[in-house]
Amino acid sequence: MTRRSVAGTVAAVVVAAVMAGCAGIPSSGPVVKVADDGDLGQSAVRYAPAGPQQGATPEQVVRGYLDAMLAFPSSSRTASAFLTPEAAKGWAPTSQVRVYSQSAVSATPQSSARNDPDEQVAGRTAVRLGFIEDAQLDRQGRYTGVGRPRSMSYSLEQVDGEWRITDPQDGLLVTQKFFTDYFRSFDLYFFDRPGRRLVPDPVYLVVGDQLATSLVSSLAGGPAASAREATRTYVPSRTVLRPSVPVSSRGVADVEFTDDFADLSGSTRDRLSAQVVWTLRQVPGIEAVQVVGGTTALSAGGDEAQPVQAWGGFGPSTARGRAYAVVDDRVVEVADGQIEPISGSWGRDARGVQQVAVAESGVAGVLPGGDAVRLTTRQGTRPRTIRGNDLIAPDWDPDGKLWLVDRAGGTTRVRIVDGSADERALDVRGVAGLAVDDLTISPDGTRYAVTVTGAGGGELYVGRVLRDVTDQVMGLGDPVRVPTTVTSPRSASWSSTTELSFLGDSQAGRQVYQVAIDGSATTSEVSRSGSLLPDVGAATLAIGQGRSEFLYVTDRDGALWYLAPGGSWRALDTPPVTALATGR
């Protein structure tokens, strides 16, 4: 299971009280099995809920209203029929989505205690809804975990002798099962501040025929307020977006804005196109995208039907990560379960380094004692020594800059080394107060992840890399804790631009897990591969690409374990490993 399939991540509970035992909801109806929509893996069951039933009690009306919000394809028309006309006009079902489980509908104490004939004549009552709120999605689909008990009270009054709700909640309420069946994770693509890199922003949207429209509408909403310091958009706002994104039989999506693009610069046109194309390339069946503003059509290479493979230059580096280790005081590359010393002096003598970082840009190793880093070219030439205090493993970013982290004056310090220039300290804001165990930069260079040792165990944080308009790294945005269901996460590595792999404790010993950066899904490598890592006290994790992706783990005794695709965990027959890292 991946981030695009959240079943098993959160309890898949459908609320029996909503669906059974009430006259307001029929026991049979138009539930139709249809063809699966591409490879998104949704339930593929269409459901048209029943409208209000004549003579339904207030509790039955509320249950019917909850059920009506589970329509697929998604529609609020039936749910609005359970509201008074005034309430239906003011309801904003697209403002947010709240995911819930364990619901209970009951009359409020005040309503059940009313025996006053005048009150009955007035035709007013109230119904209480209690539930566990599992998560919230904002208008664009960004996920926030909640996991807390909630309650709300609906006021009802009679309209033509039938009970109707006067005060619907803001947005939609959907069950956890509906969310699991019909929502999937997608990425909206914005640019970093220099306009150089596309930055994915994960959201959850309902699959189906309107997916292309939903994606473009969410994209036109712009970056989240918390991300605007690090990201930007070239896409006009949704106020000038045509309400629908039709897809032709040839797989061409038609995206139209009312604003004319004639006066836009060439670079702005290209970036606008790149955002839309990269976002829509996730929709099964879309082969090309036509982007039109007013009377001006944008193009890629002169073709107005821009292929979904266009604008690859704005995406993350396609260079595959590699695993490196220090074995028998030599730096080696680990590929396909085999080790080979790297060329140059590091492959002959690693000088006893405790941590290592390897990239095409060079090699850096933390010297014994943790108070200095030795930095050279890949071949071991032009050596430099950079001093520090309790240095942790360095990391190379995709632009060839070296990141150094240590503790100075009781706070965490982050420095960056760019080529032959002197190192410079970054403004790291909230990271300064964290006891950082490791730091790693995402494959696209736009985010960082740190694991932290705390009193109650480890924690995982993700934040933005801040750059100015000239693409110079200025600092780190505030770290945001990534919720996981795993105890004491450690040794994190980026498995994609929006997902991390890490080691975490379990009843079967320390295992490898994956988590989406929004915390919406945590999965174990056991569930992905079926292979359980023996309880060997896993210490460090690295991800390497040879002919395919391999996972590597060191244990408490320095042995190196690896997992090949479709295989089982095996230990390599090597001398003890003193350092392990994912390199570039």
Side-chain angles (χ1 to χ4, degrees), residues 98 100-106 108 127-133 146 148-154 169 173:
R98 300 170 71 179
Y100 71 92
S101 57
Q102 302 180 40
S103 70
V105 175
S106 61
T108 63
V127 173
R128 180 185 180 277
L129 171 65
F131 57 95
I132 301 296
E133 185 170 16
V146 180
R148 296 176 183 171
R150 302 290 195 198
S151 66
M152 61 179 64
S153 180
Y154 290 110
Q169 79 293 327
L173 287 171

Side-chain angles (χ1 to χ4, degrees), residues 458 460 481-489 502 514-516 519 521-522:
L460 179 61
R481 190 178 72 85
V482 180
T484 77
T485 57
V486 180
T487 303
S488 299
F502 63 95
Q514 293 79 30
V515 65
T522 300

Side-chain angles (χ1 to χ4, degrees), residues 336-362:
D336 299 327
Q338 305 292 322
I339 65 171
E340 183 71 27
I342 66 172
S343 61
S345 62
W346 286 96
R348 300 187 296 271
D349 180 7
R351 299 176 180 245
V353 296
Q354 302 170 335
Q355 305 283 356
V356 70
V358 184
E360 292 299 325
S361 308

Side-chain angles (χ1 to χ4, degrees), residues 24-388:
I25 302 175
S27 58
S28 62
V31 178
V32 182
K33 181 74 175 180
V34 296
D36 188 27
D37 189 357
D39 59 358
L40 296 178
Q42 74 270 17
S43 170
V45 174
R46 294 177 181 265
Y47 178 53
Q53 302 297 301
Q54 186 174 4
T57 67
E59 291 89 340
Q60 290 170 348
V61 168
V62 170
R63 291 189 182 104
Y65 171 62
L66 294 174
D67 181 65
M69 286 185 279
L70 307 181
F72 182 80
S74 184
S75 171
S76 60
R77 180 176 301 175
T78 301
S80 295
F82 289 87
L83 311 178
T84 64
E86 295 78 10
K89 290 178 182 178
W91 186 35
T94 62
S95 62
Q96 66 172 333
V97 175
R98 300 170 71 179
V99 183
Y100 71 92
S101 57
Q102 302 180 40
S103 70
V105 175
S106 61
T108 63
Q110 295 87 346
S111 296
S112 59
R114 285 173 181 161
N115 294 313
D116 186 346
D118 292 337
E119 193 71 17
Q120 296 293 328
V121 171
R124 294 186 298 270
T125 191
V127 173
R128 180 185 180 277
L129 171 65
F131 57 95
I132 301 296
E133 185 170 16
D134 297 311
Q136 293 180 357
L137 308 179
D138 70 8
R139 183 178 183 182
Q140 290 169 268
R142 297 184 182 93
Y143 181 99
T144 301
V146 180
R148 296 176 183 171
R150 302 290 195 198
S151 66
M152 61 179 64
S153 180
Y154 290 110
S155 297
L156 291 87
E157 65 181 35
Q158 291 190 337
V159 177
D160 297 331
E162 301 292 342
W163 292 106
R164 295 293 181 264
I165 298 169
T166 66
D167 52 352
Q169 79 293 327
D170 191 26
L172 291 176
L173 287 171
V174 302
T175 64
Q176 185 60 254
K177 185 181 188 318
F178 184 89
F179 178 72
T180 300
D181 284 347
Y182 296 112
F183 281 79
R184 293 292 177 267
S185 183
F186 301 92
D187 291 325
L188 307 178
Y189 283 92
F190 302 103
F191 270 93
D192 61 0
R193 293 304 300 173
R196 176 183 171 187
R197 306 166 186 82
L198 283 165
V199 183
D201 184 12
V203 295
Y204 276 89
L205 298 174
V206 177
V207 296
D209 296 341
Q210 296 302 307
L211 178 57
T213 298
S214 298
L215 276 168
V216 175
S217 177
S218 291
L219 179 67
S226 59
R228 289 173 189 165
E229 186 178 16
T231 57
R232 62 188 301 184
T233 184
Y234 294 85
V235 176
S237 72
R238 59 166 59 97
T239 59
V240 296
L241 174 67
R242 299 289 188 186
S244 178
V245 178
V247 180
S248 73
S249 59
R250 297 183 296 111
V252 179
D254 187 12
V255 180
E256 292 191 33
F257 297 87
T258 56
D259 281 1
D260 201 295
F261 294 159
D263 294 332
L264 297 182
S265 68
S267 62
T268 297
R269 293 186 186 196
D270 290 350
R271 285 160 175 77
L272 193 166
S273 294
Q275 285 185 244
V276 174
V277 170
W278 271 74
T279 298
L280 285 180
R281 71 196 304 181
Q282 303 166 94
V283 181
I286 290 184
E287 301 295 334
V289 180
Q290 182 167 287
V291 185
V292 178
T295 59
T296 305
L298 306 186
S299 66
D303 191 347
E304 293 183 358
Q306 304 181 44
V308 293
Q309 297 83 11
W311 309 112
F314 290 123
S317 170
T318 57
R320 296 189 294 178
R322 303 172 184 176
Y324 296 92
V326 178
V327 178
D328 200 20
D329 202 29
R330 297 180 299 166
V331 177
V332 301
E333 181 177 347
V334 192
D336 299 327
Q338 305 292 322
I339 65 171
E340 183 71 27
I342 66 172
S343 61
S345 62
W346 286 96
R348 300 187 296 271
D349 180 7
R351 299 176 180 245
V353 296
Q354 302 170 335
Q355 305 283 356
V356 70
V358 184
E360 292 299 325
S361 308
V363 182
V366 178
L367 296 171
D371 60 357
V373 168
R374 185 172 188 267
L375 170 63
T376 73
T377 66
R378 178 71 180 238
Q379 294 299 317
T381 61
R382 299 199 300 273
R384 295 178 56 192
T385 299
I386 301 173
R387 299 291 174 181

Side-chain angles (χ1 to χ4, degrees), residues 448-535:
Y448 68 91
V450 296
T451 56
V452 173
T453 299
E459 291 184 326
L460 179 61
Y461 292 83
V462 168
R464 306 270 183 171
V465 175
L466 304 180
R467 302 171 185 266
D468 64 15
V469 294
T470 67
D471 203 30
Q472 183 175 23
V473 176
M474 304 303 296
L476 301 180
D478 286 328
V480 177
R481 190 178 72 85
V482 180
T484 77
T485 57
V486 180
T487 303
S488 299
R490 68 197 72 189
S491 191
S493 291
W494 290 91
S495 44
S496 74
T497 52
T498 56
E499 188 179 56
L500 290 155
S501 295
F502 63 95
L503 295 173
D505 294 341
S506 77
Q507 293 181 343
R510 205 165 290 158
Q511 298 293 323
V512 178
Y513 294 87
Q514 293 79 30
V515 65
I517 59 174
D518 59 8
S520 60
T522 300
T523 58
S524 70
E525 183 58 38
V526 177
S527 67
R528 289 189 173 188
S529 67
S531 181
L532 183 72
L533 177 66
D535 187 4

Side-chain angles (χ1 to χ4, degrees), residues 540-561:
T540 309
L541 168 70
I543 302 174
Q545 300 275 6
R547 289 185 295 270
S548 54
E549 183 178 278
F550 282 67
L551 296 178
Y552 298 94
V553 167
T554 59
D555 69 14
R556 63 171 70 91
D557 298 320
L560 182 60
W561 294 75

Side-chain angles (χ1 to χ4, degrees), residues 406-414 426-436 448 476-479:
D406 67 351
R407 298 286 288 178
T411 63
T412 294
R413 175 177 58 171
V414 180
L426 301 178
D427 177 8
V428 296
R429 303 184 184 180
V431 174
L434 301 177
V436 174
Y448 68 91
L476 301 180
D478 286 328

